[in-house]
Amino acid sequence: MKDRAGTSMKRVIILGVSLCLCSAGMAHAAHQGNTAPIVAEAERHVAATQPDPGGVVFRNVAVHGMDGASVVCGEMAAHDTPAGSVHMKFGYVQGQDDPVVFSGRDVPQKISFNEVNSWLNDSIKLEDLEEMGCVPKGTYHSYNERLNQVMSQRKQFGVN
């Protein structure tokens, strides 16, 4: 009798664990089902920012809520981007037309005068991504410090 009771108890435990896992899996699938249209919308808008929207691949895409809206974060690159190369980070707020796309390029040793605005605009995009929760806190600060350091050493019109 004792063996039957022990076996029955094991079955009840296994059944309980199975039900928990199954319901968690169903909730996860339902959650993913709800985010799939948002992710597709984000990817469509983000890809449209590139010269070849059909040749863009995405990775590390995630959705989170912020101030009552859904925010999609991730990375993208051209389909033929070599392995190990930089993917651009992006953020998209559901229902908006303009996603934020950060190039991901490292700050060089020198920046020519003609490229200053491009670098400043790119750093602002990184700040936006940080506010959207798409990059860790402090990412913009570190990047901006490096950019300011390079800019301060730049010669303008032959004068330092």
Side-chain angles (χ1 to χ4, degrees), residues 35-49 56 58 61-63 70-74 76 90-101 132:
T35 62
I38 298 165
V39 169
E41 176 184 330
E43 289 179 351
R44 186 176 62 255
H45 283 284
V46 171
T49 66
V56 176
F58 294 92
V61 178
V63 180
S70 292
V71 177
V72 180
C73 302
M76 70 158 183
F90 72 85
Y92 174 77
V93 178
Q94 183 180 18
Q96 294 188 358
D97 291 334
D98 298 323
V100 176
V101 179
M132 295 168 80

Side-chain angles (χ1 to χ4, degrees), residues 53-108:
V56 176
V57 293
F58 294 92
R59 70 178 191 188
N60 302 327
V61 178
V63 180
H64 68 272
M66 184 180 87
D67 299 331
S70 292
V71 177
V72 180
C73 302
E75 299 175 341
M76 70 158 183
H79 181 67
D80 56 359
T81 300
S85 60
V86 176
H87 282 63
M88 294 180 274
K89 296 189 181 305
F90 72 85
Y92 174 77
V93 178
Q94 183 180 18
Q96 294 188 358
D97 291 334
D98 298 323
V100 176
V101 179
F102 173 68
S103 70
R105 57 189 176 165
D106 290 330
V107 177

Side-chain angles (χ1 to χ4, degrees), residues 44-154:
R44 186 176 62 255
H45 283 284
V46 171
T49 66
Q50 300 304 299
D52 179 17
V56 176
V57 293
F58 294 92
R59 70 178 191 188
N60 302 327
V61 178
V63 180
H64 68 272
M66 184 180 87
D67 299 331
S70 292
V71 177
V72 180
C73 302
E75 299 175 341
M76 70 158 183
H79 181 67
D80 56 359
T81 300
S85 60
V86 176
H87 282 63
M88 294 180 274
K89 296 189 181 305
F90 72 85
Y92 174 77
V93 178
Q94 183 180 18
Q96 294 188 358
D97 291 334
D98 298 323
V100 176
V101 179
F102 173 68
S103 70
R105 57 189 176 165
D106 290 330
V107 177
Q109 295 292 325
K110 293 183 179 184
I111 296 174
S112 72
F113 179 75
N114 296 337
E115 295 179 348
V116 169
N117 284 340
S118 171
W119 283 96
L120 292 174
N121 288 336
D122 212 29
S123 73
I124 291 168
K125 291 175 184 177
L126 183 59
E127 181 179 27
D128 290 344
L129 288 177
E130 186 173 314
E131 288 175 5
M132 295 168 80
C134 294
V135 296
K137 293 268 186 226
T139 303
Y140 165 73
H141 180 74
S142 299
Y143 186 86
N144 200 43
E145 277 186 356
R146 173 77 178 123
L147 184 60
N148 285 335
Q149 179 186 12
V150 170
M151 295 280 209
S152 69
Q153 296 170 359
R154 184 176 66 74

